[in-house]
Amino acid sequence: MVFRVIAAAGTVVALATVGLMVYDSVITTAPVISTFGIWDFVTGLRWAPSFTIYGALPFIFGTLLTSVIALLIAVPVALGIALLVTEYLPPRIAGPVAVTVDLLAAIPSVVWGLWGLLVLVPFLRPIEHAIAASAGSVVPFLGPPTPGPSYFAAGVIVAFMIIPIVAAVTREVFAATPRLQREAVLALGGTSWDVVRRVVLPIGRAGFLAAIVLGLGRAIGETIAVTLVIGNAPRIGSSIFSPGFTLASVIANEFNEATEPLHAESLITLGVVLLVIAVLINGAGLLIRRRVTQVAGRGS
Amino acid sequence: MIIEDLPPSPAPVVPPPRPVAIAAAPVVAPGAAPVVRIGAVSAYYGPRRVIRDVDLDIPPNSITAIIGPSGSGKSTLLRCIDRMHEIIPGAHVEGSITYRGIDIYDPGVDPAAVRRTIGMVFQQPNPFPTMSIATNVIAAARFNGLVKGRSAEDALVEHCLRQAALWDEVKDKLHHSGSSLSGGQQQRLCIARALAMEPDVLLMDEPCSALDPVATQQVEELMLRLRERYTIVIVTHNMQQASRVSDRTAFFTMGTDRAGYLVEVDDTVKVFTNPREQLTEDYISGRFG
């Protein structure tokens, strides 16, 4: 009885806090929305606090682009790690490998950012330059210039940061494949690749998607590390090698000095936009997952 | 070259005798060369020995039942015969097992080739849940590149489902999920799936323990029919089942060292009416186990 009261109180406090935050943020957006209108704010291309012009699109673009780059890099790597650990490595080696990958998640965001700024960006520059010089002349979005800090650098850093969570969840999903299913493949003369292809991946599909959505959720909200390597340019870059900005990083970067009229309010509105994107992505993830689960589990 | 070590299907190599099946009558021709010879086999999980010094010959086109109490190593022995024991980390086998004269534990032999020739049906029906009935049947054939082309696959599906006495029940829903079937149908689907590899030997690990009596009877009738073409080894907890379907019965029990060993093996009628060993008699008369 006492426990139930405490648990209920805790739940109410937690929900009330979230509710209050959302309420407060949405109230703060009112002057911004009444000045620019929701649509014009969200699709506005220009962000110039000194002229009291606020448009969110460069940041929405930056958030989505860095997240997509991060996922394109992190998902295959995490999938490979998960398969290696659950299917291919002998248990004696698989354990330490899994722990090492998990430990990457313990590195603080700001450490990733500094490492990115001091090590990764200089390391990536010649690669970016080479890609821009070759593929960039054909594919418009891969063109020069390549100053270093960029959407691409931010995407790579975020990829490193989300690999542990995606790999860990995927690993658990794959490890939960019923032993009887694995043995069925082997007893039919299948190889370990057949086990992966016919059983582990099809059965684990829904869980793998959940891992990706989890990673995406973290990617869109990543702040400090991105701020340090993305170049902080409030416009839509012409190339993935251009400097840019994301919703989270512009809030972190400008909130301290937001003294212009409507500047702080606009940053909070960006926060609400970020919240909406996060909710949409997670909702879509849930829907996809439910669909995939239904297909995979039909009648089982 | 590794695959060539084992005949992919028995027919071209040694045409097995095809006696007329008369249920429950011994069909083992005296003196017929055994298909599988198990010699002084011990099996281990890490340092722990779970079966000890088993010598057992499996004659062709017969059903050999392995009976005995829990922990007597029946399933482990079965898994040694198709090299499934070794997939558990730390598990290994000592002694020799030959299949038609070939040492299946020879380093040059591919375990996958052994498992294609010696099929296995598990205790729990385990059709692949993400595949249709038809795809389940041809799964093994696809792993091993045995069939090419739509019509060849369709023909194989029908052939194997007919052999497994399941065709009439599923022919109108071949593209439904395998897990939409009843337990007994799923088990026959798993048998069809094993038959699609064209194995020579079929190992069945308590194939009816998860099934109701009607489904059990269907699977038993199926086994008696399959005996014409295949050599079958069945592990069973159910002594009535062993006496109903098998030609030979091997009785295992657990020794004081907690390792299973073979007490005796003989024609089923003899084991159940006039066993040589007191232990066997105690077990079949229900005094222990």
Side-chain angles (χ1 to χ4, degrees):
Chain A
M1 186 60 205
V2 177
F3 174 75
R4 275 173 65 178
V5 171
I6 295 173
T11 312
V12 168
V13 169
L15 287 176
T17 312
V18 172
L20 203 66
M21 270 168 57
V22 173
Y23 173 78
D24 212 40
S25 304
V26 171
I27 290 297
T28 316
T29 66
V32 178
I33 287 165
S34 63
T35 311
F36 305 107
I38 292 181
W39 182 247
D40 284 356
F41 179 79
V42 168
T43 59
L45 285 167
R46 208 165 156 223
W47 180 268
S50 39
F51 298 97
T52 321
I53 296 171
Y54 299 102
L57 201 58
F59 312 111
I60 297 174
F61 174 81
T63 295
L64 295 180
L65 179 58
T66 52
S67 300
V68 166
I69 294 170
L71 281 187
L72 286 178
I73 297 168
V75 168
V77 173
L79 179 64
I81 292 171
L83 285 177
L84 215 58
V85 167
T86 60
E87 309 300 320
Y88 292 105
L89 291 180
R92 206 170 301 170
I93 304 173
V97 169
V99 170
T100 309
V101 175
D102 284 352
L103 280 178
L104 288 180
I107 299 175
S109 182
V110 66
V111 174
W112 277 115
L114 282 176
W115 180 79
L117 187 66
L118 301 173
V119 179
L120 185 72
V121 168
F123 172 79
L124 285 178
R125 269 200 77 181
I127 300 172
E128 294 179 354
H129 187 79
I131 296 174
S134 53
S137 54
V138 189
V139 186
F141 210 57
L142 295 176
T146 56
S150 61
Y151 297 113
F152 181 67
V156 173
I157 273 291
V158 172
F160 277 113
M161 298 178 71
I162 67 174
I163 281 172
I165 183 78
V166 180
V169 174
T170 308
R171 193 180 70 217
E172 293 304 315
V173 168
F174 289 172
T177 310
R179 199 176 71 126
L180 221 68
Q181 292 293 327
R182 297 172 183 276
E183 294 199 343
V185 175
L186 294 175
L188 291 169
T191 60
S192 50
W193 168 234
D194 287 316
V195 173
V196 168
R197 196 165 47 139
R198 310 291 186 180
V199 165
V200 173
L201 291 178
I203 292 177
R205 210 165 35 173
F208 179 47
L209 269 169
I212 294 175
V213 171
L214 211 61
L216 183 57
R218 292 206 50 186
I220 60 170
E222 187 42 56
T223 309
I224 296 299
V226 170
T227 310
L228 284 165
V229 299
I230 200 168
N232 301 339
R235 58 177 176 271
I236 294 181
S238 60
S239 162
I240 63 168
F241 304 126
S242 311
F245 236 149
T246 67
L247 289 163
S249 63
V250 73
I251 296 171
N253 217 37
E254 295 190 358
F255 203 78
N256 252 352
E257 300 133 26
T259 48
E260 315 286 343
L262 286 181
H263 193 177
E265 290 81 352
S266 295
L267 288 171
I268 288 172
T269 311
L270 291 183
V272 174
V273 171
L274 183 59
L275 181 69
V276 169
I277 293 178
V279 168
L280 285 180
I281 285 174
N282 280 295
L286 272 179
L287 279 181
I288 295 171
R289 212 184 135 189
R290 193 172 303 163
R291 251 190 88 92
V292 171
T293 316
Q294 275 168 359
V295 172
R298 198 160 38 198
S300 71
Chain B
M1 73 115 221
I2 296 166
I3 292 172
E4 275 82 327
D5 286 348
L6 286 172
S9 105
V13 186
V14 183
R18 297 275 161 85
V20 180
I22 306 156
V27 293
V28 185
V35 176
V36 175
R37 301 199 80 150
I38 298 165
V41 161
S42 295
Y44 298 79
Y45 289 112
R48 199 168 88 77
R49 181 156 69 170
V50 287
I51 52 178
R52 157 168 44 99
D53 285 335
V54 173
D55 292 291
L56 182 62
D57 284 352
I58 310 291
N61 295 91
S62 64
I63 300 178
T64 301
I66 300 179
I67 62 169
S70 299
S72 57
K74 310 180 296 292
S75 296
T76 304
L77 180 70
L78 204 66
R79 292 167 65 89
C80 291
I81 301 175
D82 70 345
R83 295 194 60 173
M84 286 293 283
H85 178 64
E86 67 201 52
I87 69 171
I88 292 154
H92 79 283
V93 180
E94 288 171 4
S96 98
I97 298 179
T98 60
Y99 161 76
R100 295 194 188 275
I102 302 159
D103 177 4
I104 63 164
Y105 281 92
D106 187 278
V109 170
D110 178 5
V114 173
R115 295 172 194 146
R116 273 195 291 278
T117 313
I118 303 176
M120 182 169 237
V121 175
F122 294 80
Q123 186 172 356
Q124 288 287 333
N126 56 352
F128 299 120
T130 56
M131 297 184 192
S132 71
I133 292 170
T135 318
N136 259 288
V137 175
I138 49 173
R142 280 196 179 157
F143 298 159
N144 302 306
L146 294 180
V147 283
K148 292 274 179 327
R150 231 359 245 277
S151 58
E153 287 188 348
D154 289 347
L156 183 66
V157 168
E158 178 169 350
H159 175 71
C160 294
L161 286 172
R162 280 192 190 283
Q163 271 199 76
L166 190 58
W167 174 252
D168 292 328
E169 291 160 59
V170 302
K171 64 183 176 203
D172 299 321
K173 49 174 180 177
L174 290 174
H175 299 289
H176 291 210
S177 164
S179 37
S180 65
L181 300 174
S182 74
Q185 289 174 323
Q186 287 188 21
Q187 195 60 298
R188 278 178 286 149
L189 176 60
C190 293
I191 294 172
R193 183 174 69 178
L195 297 181
M197 301 188 291
E198 300 180 25
D200 186 14
V201 179
L202 208 51
L203 308 176
M204 304 176 106
D205 188 358
E206 301 190 35
C208 302
S209 65
L211 306 185
D212 64 48
V214 175
T216 298
Q217 193 192 347
Q218 285 171 326
V219 171
E220 287 180 3
E221 284 168 1
L222 175 59
M223 280 190 270
L224 289 170
R225 235 167 325 113
L226 294 175
R227 179 177 59 177
E228 295 173 37
R229 300 191 48 176
Y230 305 92
T231 301
I232 296 174
V233 184
I234 174 176
V235 164
T236 178
H237 252 108
N238 179 334
M239 280 180 282
Q240 285 72 36
Q241 180 169 59
S243 66
R244 278 194 301 263
V245 301
S246 72
D247 305 300
R248 302 204 19 110
T249 296
F251 171 63
F252 280 69
T253 194
M254 187 162 63
T256 47
D257 57 350
R258 302 189 62 76
Y261 66 98
L262 175 65
V263 178
E264 70 172 286
V265 55
D266 213 325
D267 288 343
T268 296
V269 178
K270 177 129 193 305
V271 170
F272 277 91
T273 55
N274 186 19
R276 259 174 303 160
E277 302 287 335
Q278 186 63 39
L279 270 173
T280 316
E281 182 161 350
D282 289 349
Y283 183 72
I284 59 170
S285 58
R287 251 169 280 174
F288 90 103

